[in-house]
Amino acid sequence: MPYVDIKVGGKLSAEQKREIARDVSESLQRVARKPKESVYISFTEFDRDSFAKGEKLLTDLDAQQKKV
């Protein structure tokens, strides 16, 4: 019973989650020979200002990217 925990800054649509779940399940079936039906996947979405890379919040990094 593989368990995959996916954490992402921001929100994913239901369709995005379906596509990710399909791809992850197919990959585990192909590579690890685990039946897709046995794969559990959880999605944890968090606000981008609740996560930092180094000393900068992701929202700060987002703002820097927009300036470039």
Side-chain angles (χ1 to χ4, degrees):
M1 175 186 90
Y3 173 79
V4 179
D5 182 27
I6 298 173
K7 295 182 170 122
V8 61
K11 298 289 182 184
L12 294 172
S13 69
E15 185 53 40
Q16 288 172 314
K17 291 176 187 177
R18 284 184 196 99
E19 186 173 342
I20 292 166
R22 182 180 61 245
D23 289 350
V24 169
S25 297
E26 288 176 356
S27 181
L28 281 166
Q29 182 175 18
R30 185 182 75 256
V31 176
R33 306 271 191 256
K34 301 296 181 185
K36 289 192 272 188
E37 301 78 24
S38 72
V39 178
Y40 286 84
I41 302 168
S42 69
F43 293 92
T44 305
E45 299 167 315
F46 55 86
D47 294 330
R48 292 182 67 75
D49 63 355
S50 297
F51 195 81
K53 180 179 178 186
E55 60 186 26
K56 295 188 179 184
L57 297 176
L58 292 185
T59 51
D60 298 335
L61 295 171
D62 294 342
Q64 286 179 342
Q65 290 286 331
K66 289 180 183 177
K67 290 180 184 178
V68 175

